[in-house]
Amino acid sequence: MTIELAVDCRNQLGEGPIWDVREQALYWVDIAGRELQRFDSASESVRRCLMPERVASFALRRSSGMVLALESGFAFFEPLTEEFRWIARPEATIGRNRFNDGKCDSSGRFWAGTMDDAGTEYTGSLYRLDADLTVHRMENGVGIPNSLAWSPDDRTFYFADTLDGRIYAYDYDAPSGAISQKRLFVSTSDPGSPDGSAIDSEGYLWNAEWDGWRVVRYAPDGSIDRVIPLPVQKPTSCAFGGPDLRTLYVTSARWDLAPSDLAAQPWAGGVLTMQVDVAGLPAARFAG
């Protein structure tokens, strides 16, 4: 498998890639840099939008623009006009927390989790933002929320706590958006911890391992199907893109890497790409 550097963006904390099938473009964020970024696959040009505060994750909307999970809450953003509008700040009284990973389900709800900004305490929660803009807390006692994904049949929801080093599976009820029957899906070992994920069309979960130098493809039963070594220590998330959704994009970080580490891994913080033999699924869009 040939791994290439698609964007030499050198993000401190690149995260949350999403492929827009309408635009044939990749969007992702640099949390530490407060930037939303867009890579046009045809022109290979990159556009960056500076946000009013750290932006952790987002989802495309069915109409236009996107919904964001910023440091302190949810907001709408229109990239073409750079119009920005706050929706809700569910943890306005918890100053130590910030939002982290998020994704949209097939029914058009946006899910995102919060975390202790230092990444050491279990003060976070998992929230669901519905199309009518109501906010629901779905889990609490979360360390570092990551890896939100749904099986193609919408019966299983995946959610990782990086602080635990575990990915969990839940029963998922698509009509109501309810989750139940939390159970261990996989537990990772040193040095890597589970970060962001993507589901392919066969129902396998592709997970980027923070500090693990790799992406792992897990079968629905939790067994390892394949391991893809990477030339970067801190891959953060992945997404399927390209005309046939067989291009895997992987974001990464330079966070806490010493100068000697950066010299040894010059692609750190960039967006990596590779061709894979299975297609992904189009990114779900927010219905609100």
Side-chain angles (χ1 to χ4, degrees), residues 48-118:
R48 295 177 171 86
C49 295
L50 186 65
M51 297 290 105
E53 59 183 46
R54 287 177 293 177
V55 55
S57 54
F58 64 96
L60 305 169
R61 297 176 68 186
R62 292 179 182 175
S63 53
S64 66
M66 54 189 61
V67 58
L68 311 175
L70 293 106
E71 178 179 338
S72 67
F74 297 112
F76 285 137
F77 181 68
E78 177 54 67
L80 292 178
T81 62
E82 299 194 6
E83 180 184 356
F84 181 90
R85 177 165 62 92
W86 283 105
I87 300 170
R89 289 183 168 99
E91 295 193 353
T93 61
I94 309 177
R96 67 185 298 174
N97 279 7
R98 70 162 175 86
F99 270 93
N100 198 52
D101 200 11
K103 200 161 286 185
C104 202
D105 66 25
S106 63
S107 297
R109 311 176 187 98
F110 182 54
W111 299 61
T114 59
M115 60 176 281
D116 164 40
D117 202 7

Side-chain angles (χ1 to χ4, degrees), residues 88-243:
R89 289 183 168 99
E91 295 193 353
T93 61
I94 309 177
R96 67 185 298 174
N97 279 7
R98 70 162 175 86
F99 270 93
N100 198 52
D101 200 11
K103 200 161 286 185
C104 202
D105 66 25
S106 63
S107 297
R109 311 176 187 98
F110 182 54
W111 299 61
T114 59
M115 60 176 281
D116 164 40
D117 202 7
T120 58
E121 304 292 336
Y122 292 89
T123 60
S125 295
L126 174 64
Y127 292 94
R128 191 190 76 210
L129 176 67
D130 290 357
D132 62 2
L133 307 187
T134 56
V135 179
H136 308 268
R137 186 165 70 175
M138 309 301 293
E139 279 280 22
N140 55 23
V142 176
I144 303 175
N146 270 308
S147 195
L148 287 77
W150 291 262
S151 60
D153 63 7
D154 263 347
R155 297 179 64 181
T156 305
F157 169 63
Y158 299 98
F159 180 61
D161 194 327
T162 305
L163 198 54
D164 284 345
R166 296 173 178 176
I167 304 175
Y168 298 97
Y170 298 72
D171 290 347
Y172 180 66
D173 182 69
S176 68
I179 54 176
S180 61
Q181 302 298 318
K182 178 181 179 180
R183 56 199 178 271
L184 180 65
F185 178 63
V186 296
S187 179
T188 61
S189 57
D190 289 338
S193 299
D195 207 322
S197 290
I199 286 277
D200 66 29
S201 57
E202 297 177 352
Y204 285 59
L205 185 79
W206 298 64
N207 179 252
E209 284 195 2
W210 177 267
D211 277 334
W213 299 84
R214 65 185 194 172
V215 168
V216 182
R217 186 186 191 229
Y218 292 102
D221 63 3
S223 61
I224 293 178
D225 172 76
R226 73 185 72 169
V227 175
I228 303 172
L230 299 174
V232 294
Q233 178 179 339
K234 298 177 184 292
T236 56
S237 192
C238 51
F240 291 93

